[in-house]
Amino acid sequence: MDILNTMVSCGHEQVAMYSDPESGLRGIIAIHDTTLGPSCGGTRMWPYATESDALADALRLSQAMTYKSAAAGLNLGGGKGVIIGDPRTDKTEALLRAWGRFVDTLGGRYLTTTDVGTTGRDLESVRQETRHVVGLDVTLGGSGDTSLMTGLGIYMGMRAGAAGVWGADSLRGRTVAMQGFGKVAGHTAEHLLADDAHVIAADISEAALDRARAMGVKVVGADDIYDVKCDIFAPCALGGVINSDTINRLRCRIVAGGANNQLATPEDGEELHRRGIIYAPDFLINAGGVINAAAEIGQPYNPERSRQQTERIYEQMSAVLTTSRKQEISTSRAANLLAETRLDSVRRMRQIWRG
Ligand code: NAD
């Protein structure tokens, strides 16, 4: 990969690489944009086939974090850390502490938290070597599990989407088809069921399906979920699931879920728009987790503040729908515009003050 050219074309500020042969750590931190504040994003540990794959993931995910925090109104930029390795076999205390040392070298330009392959317990080791960690367990004064607020934010996004499509934001009697029934989907489903919505779920894990059944959720086969006739399709497992194959199968009016990077390509967002399916942009409605973690920064964690900020996702989604309607653009473009407008306005303000 032509690293500097890629950074220039996507607007990345910094990419740092680190190797610690003693612990076996090989990691990358990508900082996309710090206009709004220090970059923040989780540490992903994954057995990437190549270094290029790891770098590409760090670049892509850090950029998405800039948009997520900007749209959520947070004073944070976008960053992401990736560790090359298998979290089941390669993760040791020494490796995690070496990662903490690496994070610390950036002097607070990057704040880390959990992501795929890392847990709250891992953060406790990272925290031994750096203060630049958020999302610690509540017993350590942190904000704890992010999925609770992520689930709330998705529910708020669904309600705003419902208001846009049906003129009322109640989800009572609506059918929501959830792909994946893990932590985020489970918390979203609690709100939906409390509203008397019907929830249908698919998962590849029997334990997840058992949890769904215990909550009164109907279960279907993992590949059948795309064909379920529903009001809202909620991708809550994997990225790239909205693509030219699956769009033809969807039988919903709204796509709104927790998974990151749901659109395989930007064109898929345009195609949903052409078909009259409202897409609730993933980075906009799944921001509850980063909102919750950010509530730890600079003040004692207050769950009520975090909840109130997460509930504002309703207003943000409504604003995206209004822009989409007025400017006749897709909701994914409208959400990008929302984030870019905030970033540009803060950049301009700084330029004016610099003279
Ligand atoms: P999780 O691991 O608890 O749940 C994911 C579920 O998806 C699991 O039950 C898994 O078995 C299932 N799954 C995997 N492949 C599947 C497939 N092909 N079909 C159906 N089910 C499948 O993870 P989570 O924390 O609930 O996160 C879900 C998604 O939301 C992820 O994409 C994550 O990146 C994203 N996200 C999570 C948070 C958070 O706060 N946890 C925040 C933002 C975004």
Side-chain angles (χ1 to χ4, degrees), residues 110-287:
Y110 169 63
L111 307 174
T112 197
T113 185
T114 55
D115 195 72
V116 176
T118 56
T119 64
R121 185 175 281 191
D122 298 335
L123 287 186
E124 293 176 29
S125 298
V126 177
R127 178 74 178 81
Q128 295 305 311
E129 305 295 332
T130 182
R131 347 180 242 112
H132 306 302
V133 175
V134 290
L136 286 162
D137 194 79
V138 277
T139 57
L140 290 166
S143 53
D145 183 3
T146 53
S147 60
L148 208 95
M149 287 301 164
T150 306
L152 172 65
I154 292 159
Y155 165 71
M156 299 310 290
M158 286 177 175
R159 281 186 43 193
V165 174
W166 299 293
D169 67 8
S170 167
L171 295 172
R172 188 188 173 96
R174 299 282 171 206
T175 300
V176 181
M178 308 189 95
Q179 181 184 46
F181 204 79
K183 297 183 290 292
V184 167
H187 289 305
T188 308
E190 283 165 14
H191 295 289
L192 294 171
L193 294 169
D195 278 2
D196 288 327
H198 308 292
V199 180
I200 300 174
D203 202 292
I204 52 168
S205 148
E206 265 313 309
L209 293 176
D210 286 345
R211 268 197 310 278
R213 287 189 195 98
M215 288 172 71
V217 166
K218 190 179 158 200
V219 159
V220 297
D223 193 49
D224 300 331
I225 194 74
Y226 296 107
D227 308 307
V228 168
K229 186 170 175 349
C230 58
D231 297 298
I232 303 177
F233 178 71
C236 292
L238 310 164
V241 295
I242 305 296
N243 54 49
S244 50
D245 292 333
T246 58
I247 287 176
N248 286 324
R249 294 169 62 184
L250 294 180
R251 300 168 71 200
C252 60
R253 292 295 312 279
I254 297 173
V255 172
N260 285 314
N261 302 315
Q262 290 166 28
L263 303 176
T265 67
E267 178 51 32
D268 297 310
E270 303 307 311
E271 183 57 26
L272 288 177
H273 182 62
R274 276 193 288 275
R275 291 178 183 226
I277 297 175
I278 297 288
Y279 171 58
D282 45 22
F283 69 79
L284 189 83
I285 71 162
N286 75 12

